[in-house]
């Protein structure tokens, strides 16, 4: 795979995108990071209505379009339908587009296979869970596509089983599935299944989300990966991102630091060896964000995390 992945819609997704998962109060930081990323060469940005970063991303892109630095059609923007927006995806995407100051996004995803009531707080309490209605949610996503509000629709945090169910009734198949994926959670079964079904896999927390409350340093501190990085004269993050690209995955590293934004994009002019891949294929696997908060024995559609991930954990 080159620097772009071709989606089942025929549109192209750059394989490295900037993650912007950050709260709205970091507005200036997010806006500046997007500006730096555009200069470095990033043309793919990941946001979600849940993050609160749509406004800052939109402002930074709008300024870049006005300056003539980049054209709208040269940038790939993903946003997502949050858990309390399943009842009306066209209304939700319209709100997101307003924040983003865009007429369309390139990809609109169902953020989680989960439905919460309006006014919920995280972690969700028993009364916050609503019965799942993925079929009607997907019909709403298809409507967004038909209205031209998004160039593609897709999923996030869906297992093979959940994708298979959806493929049985959908009119428009999903173009992508965005999931936790890194060398310590390689998701081989899901990658193989999605490749077969022409669904592009995108990696969230591609570095394992070091220094964050939901993530871990296990990926960045792994001695095997560190040794491979040292051998190539690259950073651990670069080896991890290159590994993902070699696996056919699009990765969405988040950084708001100029040096690290640049570093994470310098992954195209060198390669890992077959021996490196062999060593990395043997790393112990454990999902970092497991979703314990999303299951209960009464109101959640999932009683256990095994049910949430259909055993793929
Ligand atoms: N669909 C979903 O459910 C979902 C869930 C989680 C995330 N996401 C998306 O995926 C994106 C990335 O995930 P993430 O933020 O959880 O994890 P991540 O990208 O794996 O890690 C981000 C952390 O790594 C640090 N970092 C970045 N580059 C580095 C480098 N070269 N060396 C050392 N540290 C580095 C960042 O700090 P600095 O900023 O200080 O560099 C930040 O603390 C999010 O922003 C969001 O867009 C989606």
């Amino acid at each position: 795979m080159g620097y772009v992945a071709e989606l089942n819609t025929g549109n192209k997704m750059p394989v490295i995108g900037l993650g912007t998962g950050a709260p709205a109060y970091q507005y200036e930081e997010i806006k500046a990071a997007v500006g730096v990323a555009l200069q470095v060469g990033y043309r793919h940005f990941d946001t979600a209505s849940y993050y609160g970063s749509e406004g800052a991303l939109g402002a930074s892109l709008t300024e870049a379009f006005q300056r003539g630095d980049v054209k709208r059609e040269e940038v790939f923007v993903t946003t997502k339908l949050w858990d309390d927006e399943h009842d009306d995806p066209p209304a939700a995407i319209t709100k997101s587009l307003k924040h983003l100051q865009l007429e369309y996004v390139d990809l609109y995803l169902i953020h989680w296979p989960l439905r919460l009531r309006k006014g919920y707080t995280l972690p969700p309490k028993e009364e916050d869970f609503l019965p799942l209605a993925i079929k009607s949610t997907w019909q709403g996503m298809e409507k967004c596509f038909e209205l031209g509000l998004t160039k593609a629709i897709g999923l996030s945090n869906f297992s093979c089983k959940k994708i298979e169910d959806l493929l049985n009734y959908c009119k428009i198949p999903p173009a992508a599935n965005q999931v936790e994926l890194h060398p310590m959670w390689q998701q081989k079964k899901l990658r193989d299944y999605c490749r077969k079904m022409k669904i592009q896999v995108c990696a969230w927390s591609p570095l394992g989300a070091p220094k964050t409350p939901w993530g871990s340093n296990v990926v960045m501190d792994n001695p095997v990966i560190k040794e491979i990085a040292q051998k190539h004269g690259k950073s651990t993050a670069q080896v991890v991102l290159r590994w993902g690209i070699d696996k056919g995955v699009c990765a969405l590293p988040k950084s708001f630091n100029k040096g690290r934004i640049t570093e994470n994009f310098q992954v195209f002019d060198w390669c890992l060896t077959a021996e490196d891949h062999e060593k990395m294929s043997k790393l112990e696997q454990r999902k970092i964000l497991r979703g314990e908060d999303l299951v209960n024995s009464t109101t959640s559609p999932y009683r256990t995390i095994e049910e949430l991930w259909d055993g793929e954990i």
Side-chain angles (χ1 to χ4, degrees):
M1 186 162 69
Y3 299 172
V4 291
E6 188 167 329
L7 302 182
N8 60 17
T9 53
N11 290 337
K12 300 205 164 58
M13 173 192 274
V15 297
I16 294 287
L18 185 77
T20 69
Y25 67 80
Q26 286 189 18
Y27 186 93
E28 290 303 334
E29 227 179 321
I30 303 165
K31 193 171 163 225
V34 171
V36 168
L38 282 168
Q39 278 169 14
V40 167
Y42 286 71
R43 294 293 180 266
H44 178 177
F45 297 89
D46 183 74
T47 184
S49 65
Y50 172 66
Y51 304 153
S53 61
E54 288 176 326
L57 171 59
S60 202
L61 290 176
T62 301
E63 285 178 15
F65 298 152
Q66 284 166 353
R67 282 195 304 268
D69 293 351
V70 68
K71 296 194 188 82
R72 169 64 187 97
E73 57 273 23
E74 292 167 345
V75 179
F76 192 103
V77 179
T78 300
T79 194
K80 312 184 194 88
L81 179 88
W82 186 237
D83 303 348
D84 68 350
E85 296 178 320
H86 281 219
D87 290 348
D88 197 348
I93 195 174
T94 302
K95 204 164 143 194
S96 288
L97 290 171
K98 201 168 165 210
H99 291 147
L100 285 161
Q101 303 183 49
L102 296 176
E103 285 175 8
Y104 67 90
V105 287
D106 297 277
L107 180 62
Y108 194 45
L109 305 176
I110 299 181
H111 206 144
W112 283 89
L114 202 70
R115 214 171 129 231
L116 298 178
R117 69 169 180 89
K118 293 272 180 209
Y120 76 93
T121 49
L122 284 184
K125 293 176 288 309
E126 274 195 326
E127 62 271 26
D128 292 332
F129 291 93
L130 295 175
L132 261 186
I134 293 291
K135 188 172 178 182
S136 71
T137 303
W138 190 252
Q139 285 165 347
M141 299 292 283
E142 291 175 331
K143 187 90 187 145
C144 297
F145 177 83
E146 285 157 2
L147 290 167
L149 302 173
T150 181
K151 300 274 183 204
I153 49 178
L155 308 167
S156 177
N157 300 303
F158 274 57
S159 64
C160 296
K161 159 96 174 48
K162 288 186 178 63
I163 298 173
E164 199 179 339
D165 289 348
L166 185 134
L167 288 174
N168 280 327
Y169 56 73
C170 67
K171 205 162 61 171
I172 303 169
N177 186 27
Q178 190 185 115
V179 293
E180 180 184 331
L181 196 151
H182 44 71
M184 316 294 284
W185 190 241
Q186 303 192 4
Q187 303 249 41
K188 182 161 180 352
K189 180 180 167 195
L190 186 75
R191 281 190 282 116
D192 288 347
Y193 179 72
C194 286
R195 189 179 307 114
K196 200 166 109 196
M197 296 301 163
K198 299 191 167 32
I199 297 169
Q200 178 61 43
V201 174
C202 302
W204 61 256
S205 295
L207 307 175
K211 302 177 287 184
T212 71
W214 62 92
S216 150
N217 292 340
V218 288
V219 177
M220 295 292 278
D221 286 350
N222 183 273
V224 175
I225 306 176
K226 277 179 151 176
E227 195 188 307
I228 293 171
Q230 208 170 15
K231 185 184 79 181
H232 288 281
K234 301 291 172 191
S235 71
T236 311
Q238 288 171 325
V239 167
V240 168
L241 296 171
R242 181 73 227 187
W243 171 87
I245 293 171
D246 290 351
K247 297 288 177 204
V249 166
C250 292
L252 308 164
K254 173 264 165 187
S255 180
F256 294 165
N257 170 279
K258 189 173 181 176
R260 290 189 285 277
I261 292 171
T262 308
E263 175 186 324
N264 294 345
F265 204 68
Q266 289 167 345
V267 289
F268 298 114
D269 59 352
W270 59 279
C271 297
L272 292 170
T273 64
E275 191 198 348
D276 300 331
H277 275 285
E278 176 65 18
K279 280 188 186 161
M280 289 175 78
S281 72
K282 297 198 177 113
L283 295 175
E284 196 183 330
Q285 299 294 296
R286 185 175 158 85
K287 191 172 185 343
I288 298 172
L289 197 153
R290 303 171 69 80
E292 285 93 345
D293 290 346
L294 307 179
V295 303
N296 68 38
S297 56
T298 49
T299 54
S300 169
Y302 314 109
R303 276 170 301 164
T304 60
I305 55 168
E306 284 72 23
E307 278 188 18
L308 170 61
W309 303 106
D310 297 303
E312 295 165 25
I313 187 150

